[in-house]
Amino acid sequence: MGDQSRIILVNFDLMASTRRLRLILLALVAAVAVAHPRGASGEPVRARHGMVGSADEHASRAGLRVLQRGGNAVDAAVAVGFALAVTHPAAGNLGGGGFMVIRLADGRETTIDYREAAPAGARRDMFLDSAGQPVADRSLIGPLASGVPGSVAGMALAQKRYGRLPLADVMAPAIALARDGFEVSWALADSLKSAQSLLAQSLAAARAFRRADGTMPDPGDRLVQRDLAATLTLIADQGPDAFYKGAIADLIAAEMARSGGLITKADLSAYTPRERLPIIGSYRGHRVVSMPPPSSGGIALVQLLNILERFPLAAYGHNSSRSIHLVAEAARRVYADRSEWLGDPDFFDVPVAGLLSRRYADALRSGISETRATSSRDVKPGQPRTFEHSETTHFSVVDADGSAVAATTTLNGSYGNGQMVTGAGFLLNNEMDDFSAKPGTPNMFGLIGGEANAVGPGKRMLSSMTPTILVKDGKTRLVVGSPGGGRIITTVLQVVLNVVDFKMNVQEAVDAPRFHHQWLPDVIRLERQGFPADVVAALEAMGHTTDVGADMGEVHAIMIDEATGLRLGASDPRQDGRTLGY
Ligand code: GLY
């Protein structure tokens, strides 16, 4: 398909000398215009036993070491999560939250929800001014932006219930990285420099990351984080209670009291991670295992797949204007539903069965034209109840037995709210921005929310994180996830489609150019590389508005080859992550 379409595009370029001819040709190629693959990094990483893919090489190495020392996929995932809190401070965290989807070799499937929760002092209008308008940045910067962190409790719960090793063994690599330091990479040096002004607002954060002369580290410098090492050691020795009830809780409460934040010791001690049943869907013979609310990711992914399964996407071509149009039309409807129907299930009755119902997907699909864009003005959230019955990070792990973990974790924005807990060495999240501060007002990702996702004490804010495992014939086939705010869902969707419909190997599936639609704003976002002008023009001829911009997502995916059992891993060429296996 790629070669054939390239020839068509060359002919098109040569012949398009007049406007009339151009329009005729545009109509002809509209159905077959296909994007060039991004400068593909090509082949996946291969290994026979276990594999770990994460945003940072030190963290992947930590996970690999735990696998080689007899830990299972959950032990390794928890080792990676704690290591990322040291080596990838923009998103790896102790002060944030996340989700883990687990599929054990014996077929058991579960999820751990360690999403942050609003403190008891949170109020529905806390981000509004006296005129009822959202106050710029109040949910993003400063102490009110933080929800009660869930990562430490969630990872410890997953490890205790499903791991094999003592928590201290699993945390040892992270402690060593914080205590002994590690070499700052180009990516980390760049990232810290770009966050310099945010981090400068917190004395503890500025001190933790600056060199003795006050400048930010250069690539090759050694970054030692003594306070963080002490915090990690306390957790390893005493378990999560050290963080939620003990000395670390005291430091968090003191930080909040000093800066005017809301999180108290009572909030910390009340925080409980939840084990939840996964969202289950099916797509062209694959079982889809993904994250339930308070993430919207699993439901939205399955809704999208339910709608798209009825279209012969493979015949329409990878990233052809026709395929992109259909995915965008499905996404427009699914994100409209997200705005209305998704929120913390402990506070809002999410119509899960209706949203996942195939009859509901058929109803949504019936409104999609194969040749014309719908206007988002004309798309409103549906009625599923009648069918009832810049910064996050993802890592994937498979062990020698075939157990698998897909985990996505976040502080929300890069480096969260920029506030470091003094004496504890970790940053706090700005996840409160994932609530809808005011119904109909977009958050940082331009996502609209309503009543279901209003701020409420103890409530968990809606997420788009979509850690997902695909199963074929009872065996794990693909472990996948990504950062990217609202774009996480469509990023994961496209990797799944690339593997299942377009038969790509896992690295090609991750490399391929991405696009995104989220209902509002009514625009298809296309990555700058990989979508030729005629594909964009063909989409516009169908009535879409397009916007060509920056890269989307950072996928770390592992596939298990059906025939050989080989682990095939892919880290995203858009960033500097690393997949390692043995
Ligand atoms: N903070 C981004 C998300 O959870 O979707």
Side-chain angles (χ1 to χ4, degrees), residues 99-315:
F99 300 113
M100 203 179 272
V101 175
I102 300 171
R103 185 168 197 276
L104 298 170
D106 63 12
R108 276 179 294 158
E109 295 163 343
T110 191
T111 75
I112 308 291
D113 158 13
Y114 45 105
R115 183 68 162 166
E116 301 90 329
R123 293 289 170 263
R124 159 188 201 96
D125 58 356
M126 64 187 277
F127 298 116
L128 305 182
D129 63 18
S130 53
Q133 294 308 317
V135 181
D137 287 348
R138 190 183 281 174
S139 59
L140 284 169
I141 298 173
L144 293 181
S146 296
V148 181
S151 290
V152 171
M155 290 196 286
L157 177 73
Q159 207 273 329
K160 186 169 168 195
R161 287 203 183 151
Y162 297 105
R164 270 187 209 143
L165 302 178
L167 180 63
D169 289 7
V170 165
M171 292 185 64
I175 294 171
L177 285 162
R179 182 194 57 218
D180 306 335
F182 62 95
E183 200 172 289
V184 172
S185 63
W186 283 90
L188 178 57
D190 269 1
S191 160
L192 283 169
K193 283 192 176 105
S194 63
Q196 187 166 7
S197 58
L198 174 69
L199 298 171
Q201 294 177 32
S202 160
L203 194 58
R207 279 202 186 122
F209 297 120
R210 274 194 205 145
R211 298 191 289 204
D213 66 0
T215 59
M216 295 307 257
D218 280 329
D221 284 351
R222 202 161 192 78
L223 180 61
V224 175
Q225 299 171 82
R226 287 199 184 81
D227 285 347
L228 183 55
T231 294
L232 289 165
T233 305
L234 272 179
I235 298 166
D237 291 348
Q238 299 173 12
D241 274 0
F243 190 96
Y244 291 93
K245 296 181 176 154
I248 307 164
D250 290 336
L251 290 173
I252 298 172
E255 179 73 29
M256 286 284 126
R258 204 171 25 249
S259 60
L262 296 179
I263 301 171
T264 61
K265 276 198 81 175
D267 288 318
L268 288 160
S269 135
Y271 184 84
T272 348
R274 301 217 193 283
E275 182 163 9
R276 298 187 191 272
L277 289 173
I279 291 294
I280 302 292
S282 70
Y283 185 66
R284 301 199 204 280
H286 293 75
R287 180 178 168 86
V288 181
V289 184
S290 194
M291 196 63 214
S295 182
S296 60
I299 286 184
L301 178 67
V302 171
Q303 272 192 281
L304 285 162
L305 293 170
N306 284 348
I307 296 171
L308 292 170
E309 194 167 25
R310 306 283 175 131
F311 295 112
L313 294 181

Side-chain angles (χ1 to χ4, degrees), residues 115 392 410 412 431 434 445 463-465 485 488:
R115 183 68 162 166
T392 297
T410 188
N412 195 25
E431 217 74 67
D434 271 352
F445 302 110
S463 171
S464 300
M465 292 190 275
I488 293 173

Side-chain angles (χ1 to χ4, degrees), residues 307 311 333 360-369:
I307 296 171
F311 295 112
R333 287 157 176 82
Y360 181 56
D362 288 344
L364 293 181
R365 190 180 47 80
S366 67
I368 295 177
S369 153

